[in-house]
């Protein structure tokens, strides 16, 4: 049974921590947590945008919002986040930050792919390990790893991004099965096209509108709000029922067909 709004801080703990929260979907996750009465730690690289977002959420919801400027690619991120949050109980952890090397695999530099692995695989592992231990010790908490429809098959133009998102998807599912007996909910959140500044600025505008590709971007607020209603419905939650239907339909097709269909969309709109 999903907890009621009133029970959120009691069920999970007083604070949320959202990694990658200065704008778009990450800011929406922070706002949705604040709307349920949680205080929030927000992490991102750009100080001005992060502080503006933190101030806006604090004003709107009357909660404490603590901005911490940190790069998820920093090898020291575990220590930095620990120092910034050890005095509070993080009851909800959302790993939203992502790096998405864009272009054919061999055309993107190896360095860029490796930074992607750090942001999309290593850092979520570091933070989920640390915060997960504290949650199981207290017998309550929730972890959301934000992944993507791209994680469900090889994806042309985003090959290493999609592979890294598959890592987050499968990590979250395994953690769900391990932590549920300790009172901790884990969800791998499979997100479809969402109208965030990052996503809109990465579109190849020559290609027309996303609607032409039957991809209707959703609002960050609707996508963020949905997962908080489904924290108890892991291991995998989709950002919209249509995403789940599309995933199920693709899974029944020959693999080459599924991979090529995704590649036609990504190479048209993100080449
Ligand atoms: N938008 C979509 O259509 C879509 C589709 C499928 C999945 N997703 C997933 O949804 C999540 C959000 O995606 P989005 O691209 O739309 O972005 P977003 O949440 O709208 O913005 C990305 C946020 O992460 C922060 N960030 C990025 N790199 C960071 C780093 N190295 N260290 C710290 N913070 C960092 C950015 O702030 P700074 O720049 O200030 O650091 C920004 O606040 C990602 O996990 C993505 O894979 C999105």
């Amino acid at each position: 049974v999903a907890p009621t709004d009133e029970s959120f801080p009691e069920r999970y703990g007083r604070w949320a921590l959202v990694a990658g929260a200065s704008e778009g979907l990450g800011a929406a996750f922070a706002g949705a947590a604040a709307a349920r009465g949680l205080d929030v730690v927000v992490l991102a690289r750009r100080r001005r945008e992060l502080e503006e977002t933190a101030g806006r959420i604090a004003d709107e919801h009357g909660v404490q919002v603590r901005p911490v400027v940190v790069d998820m690619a920093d090898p020291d991120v575990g220590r930095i986040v620990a120092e910034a949050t050890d005095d509070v109980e993080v009851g909800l952890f959302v790993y939203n930050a992502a790096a998405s090397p864009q272009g054919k695999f061999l055309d993107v530099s190896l360095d860029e792919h490796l930074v992607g692995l750090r942001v999309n695989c290593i850092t979520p592992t570091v933070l989920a390990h640390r915060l997960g231990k504290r949650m199981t010790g207290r017998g309550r908490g929730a972890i959301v790893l934000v992944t993507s429809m791209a994680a469900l098959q090889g994806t042309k133009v985003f090959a290493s991004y999609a592979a890294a998102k598959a890592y987050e998807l499968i990590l979250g599912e395994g953690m769900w099965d391990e932590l549920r007996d300790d009172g901790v909910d884990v969800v791998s959140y499979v997100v479809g096209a969402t109208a965030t500044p990052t996503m809109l600025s990465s579109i190849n505008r020559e290609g027309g509108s996303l609607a032409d590709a039957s991809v209707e971007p959703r609002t960050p607020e609707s996508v963020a709000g949905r997962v908080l209603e489904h924290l108890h419905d892991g291991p995998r939650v989709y950002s919209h029922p249509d995403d789940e239907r599309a995933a199920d339909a693709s899974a029944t097709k020959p693999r080459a067909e599924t991979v090529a269909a995704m590649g036609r969309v990504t190479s048209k709109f993100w080449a």
Side-chain angles (χ1 to χ4, degrees):
V1 179
T4 63
D5 282 3
E6 291 69 43
S7 73
F8 232 78
E10 292 79 38
R11 166 69 184 88
Y12 291 110
R14 185 69 255 147
W15 285 75
L17 184 149
V18 183
S22 59
E23 67 177 13
L25 190 50
F29 282 121
R36 284 166 173 76
L38 299 180
D39 296 319
V40 193
V41 181
V42 287
L43 314 178
R45 295 165 298 182
R46 290 170 298 161
R47 178 177 299 280
R48 190 171 57 81
E49 287 78 358
L50 185 65
E51 288 179 347
E52 274 175 21
T53 298
R56 178 177 51 76
I57 293 171
D59 289 347
E60 272 174 23
H61 301 288
V63 299
Q64 296 180 66
V65 183
R66 183 184 289 185
V68 179
V69 175
V70 56
D71 187 341
M72 294 300 118
D74 187 334
D76 216 15
V77 64
R79 184 190 58 76
I80 295 165
V81 171
E83 280 177 5
T85 58
D86 266 356
D87 61 321
V88 301
E89 177 185 356
V90 175
L92 170 66
F93 166 49
V94 181
Y95 193 84
N96 170 76
S100 44
Q102 181 173 340
K104 285 193 180 159
F105 178 72
L106 296 180
D107 294 342
V108 171
S109 74
L110 180 58
D111 277 353
E112 196 178 341
H113 287 303
L114 297 181
V115 168
L117 292 187
R118 191 163 274 289
V119 174
N120 301 334
C121 301
I122 294 178
T123 298
T125 306
V126 168
L127 297 183
H129 192 264
R130 173 180 185 81
L131 296 166
K133 270 200 169 173
R134 291 166 72 96
M135 289 176 188
T136 55
R138 290 188 297 258
R140 65 177 183 174
I143 296 175
V144 176
L145 300 183
V146 179
T147 175
S148 168
M149 294 291 279
L152 306 178
Q153 68 290 296
T155 299
K156 198 175 182 177
V157 183
F158 293 102
S160 70
Y161 165 80
K165 287 278 145 185
Y167 172 83
E168 285 181 295
L169 172 63
I170 298 302
L171 175 67
E173 290 191 342
M175 288 184 68
W176 169 82
D177 204 13
E178 292 181 355
L179 271 54
R180 60 194 169 126
D181 290 338
D182 294 316
V184 177
D185 292 333
V186 182
V187 169
S188 293
Y189 194 33
V190 183
V191 170
T194 307
T196 64
T198 310
M199 188 267 217
L200 295 171
S201 70
S202 74
I203 294 175
N204 165 21
R205 295 192 183 272
E206 308 274 305
S209 86
L210 275 179
D212 298 337
S214 308
V215 180
E216 285 286 357
R218 306 194 177 91
T219 66
E221 290 70 26
S222 72
V223 171
R226 179 174 165 82
V227 78
L228 294 195
E229 287 160 21
H230 291 279
L231 290 177
H232 204 57
D233 299 329
R236 180 185 297 207
V237 173
Y238 289 85
S239 60
H240 192 281
D242 288 348
D243 296 337
E244 184 159 12
R245 278 190 279 278
D248 289 348
S250 292
T252 64
K253 290 186 182 141
R255 201 69 188 151
E257 212 178 288
T258 298
V259 173
M262 184 59 135
R264 278 192 293 279
V265 175
T266 53
S267 53
K268 182 169 180 196
F269 293 97
W270 286 277

